[in-house]
Amino acid sequence: MRDRVLVFDTTLRDGEQSPGASMTINDKLMLARQLERLNVDVIEAGFPISSEGDFESVKRIAKEAKTATIAGLARAGKMDIDRCWEAVRFAKKPRIHVFIATSDIHLKYKLKKTRKEVLKAARDAVRYAKSLCPDVEFSAEDATRSDLRFLGEVVQAVIGEGADVVNIPDTVGYTFPTEYGATIRYLRENVPNIREAVLSVHCHNDLGLAVANSLSAIQNGARQVECTVNGIGERAGNASLEEIVMALRTRKDLFSIDTRVNSRELYPSSQMVTNLTGMKVQANKAIVGKNAFAHEAGIHQDGMIKEKLTYEILRPETVGIKESKLIMGKHSGRHALRKKYLELGFKLSDAELEKAYVLFKKVADKKKEVFDEDLIVTVRDALRIAPPVYKLKNIQSTAGNQVIATATVALEKEGRLSRDSAIGDGPVDSALKAIDRITGVEGKLVEYSVHSVTGGRDAVGEVFMKVDFGKASFIGKAASLDIVDASARAYLDAVNKMIHYKMTLDTHNGNARRKKAPAARKKIAAV
Ligand code: KIV
Ligand code: ZN
């Protein structure tokens, strides 16, 4: 048996069947390139006969793919198979994936065929596909609700016709891990020619068991797993690629078998799928969710600071996330607070930490999450620093589809007016660049959202943004009738916080140095 699990990604086919997840040809090409970086073995690029767009994207992906096998889906009929071959034939490694349902429910209500007719259709389809393409996969749709002996008969017949891969889909997400494992084992033990093909699994998540079922199948001998990035797909979705890959890798002791996936590309792939489909993953989604590596409880944060193994079974870097996050909230303790201040550049003495901790707890009682800026305000208040701020006096911007976006901004600081202009990618970008030119502080927008506070065409827009300045990031908020004005004010809000931060840091570090100096003098005197 193979000593590796092949990863068959169907984000572009079954994943795209998610309600509201359709992608353009260019989106699909971009995702296919990312899937190759992820190093999946097979990319199911689409269902060529289903539309002109699907046909074109499968063909373009087939032409461009460098390493992965490119599969196209086809029903068990000549027309589908021909169309599929026309699209995948350009690939270095093409595959035709034919399917027909085998459950009595599908036979009676959907296909209106007898078992004998389905068996023949499956055979004919594989034989014909094999006459065109060297690599053919057969799927027995609704396999988990099919009669096991009939399923075995179909599997044996299609392997006899040359199927290289036989897939046993849990089309409606009905099976359970023990049951699915037993099905795979049954096929391995009872189909005489089973070793001539790779056994594949394809699970849907209707009962939330798609990943568990896939893993159970692998434990019982399946060697290809069909899955999607972020688990998107029909209804409740397909088995999530990132969860399967990391489960196998994290529990080598249970599986002693792995995939070839480059796990550092998991998070970038997840982000790309979110951005292309607009389908966000839930915060607590395993592996790629916003909270997957975030720790808030004081006991957990303390454990994490001492040894990450205490509360993390895998490192975020291995899936392409920069690092685990300590979320500062009412459950956080002194250890986490000291670490957070150190990250922000404040080396607090025990007495200072104690003062900051009392203030921090007051803020944390009122807010769900305490941001960097809240912590800085706490220290700033203790040091009584009131730095000057920039105020937006006026802003003028020009943009359109035929002109280069330009903005001119006037800012006031301590009664003095400064004015500058910049060009950029759109009116907001040029306004922010003009602000950077005046303040000398440059931030990177990591989050940006606008929502209307009131209704109608003359609605007031509220802008929220998170700006990264390297060492710390700050939130900026502002509202205005004009989106560019609101964006500039929100950005300036974050820039002012950054300036406060720098001044507070300089003052604190200056104080700390002055306190240390007498001790240093004493040492010199003693020498
Ligand atoms: O869920 C399913 O049965 C499928 C097949 C076409 C493989 O997606
Ligand atoms: Zn499916």
Short mmCIF file of all heavy atoms in Angstrom, two decimals, residues 10 13-15 17 44 73 97 141 167 169-172 202-204 226 228 233-235 237-238, ligand 2:
data_model
loop_
_atom_site.label_atom_id
_atom_site.label_comp_id
_atom_site.label_asym_id
_atom_site.label_seq_id
_atom_site.Cartn_x
_atom_site.Cartn_y
_atom_site.Cartn_z
N THR A 10 -10.60 19.88 -4.03
CA THR A 10 -11.77 20.15 -4.89
C THR A 10 -12.42 21.50 -4.56
O THR A 10 -13.61 21.71 -4.79
CB THR A 10 -12.76 18.95 -4.87
OG1 THR A 10 -13.84 19.25 -5.77
CG2 THR A 10 -13.32 18.65 -3.49
N ARG A 13 -14.06 22.97 -7.53
CA ARG A 13 -15.24 22.30 -8.07
C ARG A 13 -16.32 22.15 -7.00
O ARG A 13 -17.27 22.91 -6.95
CB ARG A 13 -14.82 20.94 -8.66
CG ARG A 13 -15.82 20.36 -9.64
CD ARG A 13 -16.96 19.61 -9.00
NE ARG A 13 -16.53 18.45 -8.24
CZ ARG A 13 -17.32 17.79 -7.40
NH1 ARG A 13 -18.57 18.17 -7.21
NH2 ARG A 13 -16.85 16.75 -6.72
N ASP A 14 -16.14 21.25 -6.02
CA ASP A 14 -17.17 21.08 -4.99
C ASP A 14 -17.23 22.35 -4.12
O ASP A 14 -18.30 22.78 -3.71
CB ASP A 14 -16.84 19.86 -4.11
CG ASP A 14 -18.08 19.02 -3.82
OD1 ASP A 14 -19.19 19.56 -3.97
OD2 ASP A 14 -17.94 17.85 -3.42
N GLY A 15 -16.06 22.94 -3.86
CA GLY A 15 -16.01 24.16 -3.04
C GLY A 15 -16.77 25.28 -3.70
O GLY A 15 -17.53 26.02 -3.06
N GLN A 17 -19.22 25.00 -5.47
CA GLN A 17 -20.66 24.72 -5.43
C GLN A 17 -21.31 25.26 -4.15
O GLN A 17 -22.51 25.14 -3.97
CB GLN A 17 -20.91 23.20 -5.54
CG GLN A 17 -20.68 22.69 -6.96
CD GLN A 17 -20.78 21.17 -7.07
OE1 GLN A 17 -20.01 20.55 -7.81
NE2 GLN A 17 -21.69 20.56 -6.37
N GLU A 44 -8.92 19.42 -8.56
CA GLU A 44 -10.12 19.23 -9.39
C GLU A 44 -10.55 20.64 -9.79
O GLU A 44 -11.05 21.42 -8.97
CB GLU A 44 -11.23 18.51 -8.62
CG GLU A 44 -12.41 18.22 -9.55
CD GLU A 44 -13.40 17.21 -8.97
OE1 GLU A 44 -13.82 17.38 -7.81
OE2 GLU A 44 -13.74 16.24 -9.67
N LEU A 73 -14.48 16.97 -13.73
CA LEU A 73 -15.55 16.05 -13.37
C LEU A 73 -16.45 15.77 -14.58
O LEU A 73 -16.66 16.66 -15.42
CB LEU A 73 -16.38 16.65 -12.22
CG LEU A 73 -17.46 15.75 -11.60
CD1 LEU A 73 -16.83 14.55 -10.90
CD2 LEU A 73 -18.32 16.53 -10.61
N HIS A 97 -12.49 12.43 -14.11
CA HIS A 97 -13.15 11.93 -12.89
C HIS A 97 -14.62 11.68 -13.23
O HIS A 97 -15.38 12.63 -13.36
CB HIS A 97 -13.00 13.00 -11.78
CG HIS A 97 -13.70 12.64 -10.50
ND1 HIS A 97 -13.89 13.57 -9.51
CD2 HIS A 97 -14.24 11.49 -10.06
CE1 HIS A 97 -14.51 12.99 -8.50
NE2 HIS A 97 -14.76 11.74 -8.81
N GLU A 141 -21.27 7.84 -6.38
CA GLU A 141 -21.98 8.88 -5.62
C GLU A 141 -22.94 8.26 -4.60
O GLU A 141 -23.57 7.23 -4.89
CB GLU A 141 -22.75 9.79 -6.60
CG GLU A 141 -23.24 11.07 -5.94
CD GLU A 141 -24.22 11.84 -6.82
OE1 GLU A 141 -24.68 11.29 -7.84
OE2 GLU A 141 -24.54 12.99 -6.47
N ASN A 167 -13.26 6.26 -5.77
CA ASN A 167 -13.64 7.17 -4.68
C ASN A 167 -14.97 6.73 -4.07
O ASN A 167 -15.90 6.36 -4.79
CB ASN A 167 -13.74 8.58 -5.28
CG ASN A 167 -13.98 9.64 -4.24
OD1 ASN A 167 -13.48 9.54 -3.12
ND2 ASN A 167 -14.73 10.65 -4.59
N PRO A 169 -17.63 8.34 -1.97
CA PRO A 169 -18.10 9.58 -1.34
C PRO A 169 -19.21 9.37 -0.31
O PRO A 169 -20.09 8.54 -0.49
CB PRO A 169 -18.65 10.40 -2.52
CG PRO A 169 -18.23 9.71 -3.75
CD PRO A 169 -18.03 8.27 -3.39
N ASP A 170 -19.11 10.18 0.73
CA ASP A 170 -20.21 10.29 1.68
C ASP A 170 -20.94 11.57 1.25
O ASP A 170 -20.83 12.63 1.87
CB ASP A 170 -19.67 10.41 3.11
CG ASP A 170 -20.80 10.49 4.13
OD1 ASP A 170 -21.89 9.95 3.86
OD2 ASP A 170 -20.60 11.11 5.20
N THR A 171 -21.66 11.44 0.16
CA THR A 171 -22.23 12.60 -0.55
C THR A 171 -23.11 13.49 0.32
O THR A 171 -23.13 14.70 0.17
CB THR A 171 -23.04 12.06 -1.76
OG1 THR A 171 -22.15 11.28 -2.55
CG2 THR A 171 -23.62 13.18 -2.60
N VAL A 172 -23.86 12.85 1.25
CA VAL A 172 -24.79 13.65 2.05
C VAL A 172 -24.36 13.78 3.51
O VAL A 172 -25.14 14.18 4.37
CB VAL A 172 -26.22 13.07 1.95
CG1 VAL A 172 -26.81 13.35 0.59
CG2 VAL A 172 -26.23 11.57 2.24
N HIS A 202 -14.21 11.00 0.19
CA HIS A 202 -14.74 12.32 -0.14
C HIS A 202 -15.92 12.54 0.81
O HIS A 202 -16.96 11.90 0.67
CB HIS A 202 -15.18 12.29 -1.60
CG HIS A 202 -15.86 13.52 -2.10
ND1 HIS A 202 -15.34 14.31 -3.09
CD2 HIS A 202 -17.04 14.10 -1.76
CE1 HIS A 202 -16.17 15.30 -3.36
NE2 HIS A 202 -17.21 15.21 -2.56
N CYS A 203 -15.74 13.40 1.81
CA CYS A 203 -16.78 13.50 2.85
C CYS A 203 -17.41 14.89 2.91
O CYS A 203 -16.72 15.91 2.82
CB CYS A 203 -16.18 13.18 4.21
SG CYS A 203 -15.63 11.48 4.28
N HIS A 204 -18.71 14.89 3.11
CA HIS A 204 -19.43 16.15 3.33
C HIS A 204 -19.73 16.29 4.81
O HIS A 204 -19.70 15.32 5.58
CB HIS A 204 -20.68 16.20 2.45
CG HIS A 204 -20.32 16.60 1.04
ND1 HIS A 204 -20.33 17.89 0.60
CD2 HIS A 204 -19.88 15.84 0.00
CE1 HIS A 204 -19.93 17.94 -0.66
NE2 HIS A 204 -19.65 16.70 -1.06
N GLU A 226 -10.20 13.59 -0.45
CA GLU A 226 -10.73 14.74 -1.21
C GLU A 226 -11.24 15.77 -0.22
O GLU A 226 -11.99 15.44 0.72
CB GLU A 226 -11.83 14.27 -2.16
CG GLU A 226 -11.30 13.15 -3.07
CD GLU A 226 -12.14 12.90 -4.32
OE1 GLU A 226 -13.22 13.50 -4.48
OE2 GLU A 226 -11.69 12.10 -5.15
N THR A 228 -11.46 20.41 0.75
CA THR A 228 -11.41 21.79 0.24
C THR A 228 -10.78 22.72 1.28
O THR A 228 -10.85 22.45 2.48
CB THR A 228 -12.83 22.34 -0.05
OG1 THR A 228 -13.58 22.33 1.16
CG2 THR A 228 -13.56 21.55 -1.11
N GLY A 233 -17.98 24.09 0.48
CA GLY A 233 -18.56 23.10 -0.42
C GLY A 233 -20.07 23.06 -0.27
O GLY A 233 -20.65 23.79 0.53
N GLU A 234 -20.69 22.18 -1.03
CA GLU A 234 -22.16 22.01 -1.01
C GLU A 234 -22.69 22.00 0.42
O GLU A 234 -22.11 21.36 1.30
CB GLU A 234 -22.51 20.65 -1.63
CG GLU A 234 -22.52 20.62 -3.14
CD GLU A 234 -23.83 21.11 -3.75
OE1 GLU A 234 -24.82 21.36 -3.02
OE2 GLU A 234 -23.85 21.28 -4.96
N ARG A 235 -23.78 22.65 0.65
CA ARG A 235 -24.48 22.67 1.96
C ARG A 235 -23.51 23.02 3.11
O ARG A 235 -22.97 24.10 3.14
CB ARG A 235 -25.18 21.33 2.21
CG ARG A 235 -26.13 20.88 1.09
CD ARG A 235 -26.80 19.57 1.43
NE ARG A 235 -25.85 18.54 1.81
CZ ARG A 235 -25.13 17.82 0.95
NH1 ARG A 235 -25.31 17.97 -0.35
NH2 ARG A 235 -24.26 16.93 1.37
N GLY A 237 -20.66 21.94 3.54
CA GLY A 237 -19.28 21.93 3.08
C GLY A 237 -18.65 20.54 3.00
O GLY A 237 -19.29 19.52 3.28
N ASN A 238 -17.37 20.56 2.59
CA ASN A 238 -16.59 19.32 2.45
C ASN A 238 -15.62 19.23 3.64
O ASN A 238 -15.50 20.15 4.43
CB ASN A 238 -15.77 19.38 1.16
CG ASN A 238 -16.62 19.22 -0.08
OD1 ASN A 238 -17.55 19.97 -0.32
ND2 ASN A 238 -16.30 18.23 -0.89
ZN ZN B 2 -19.03 16.23 -3.03
#
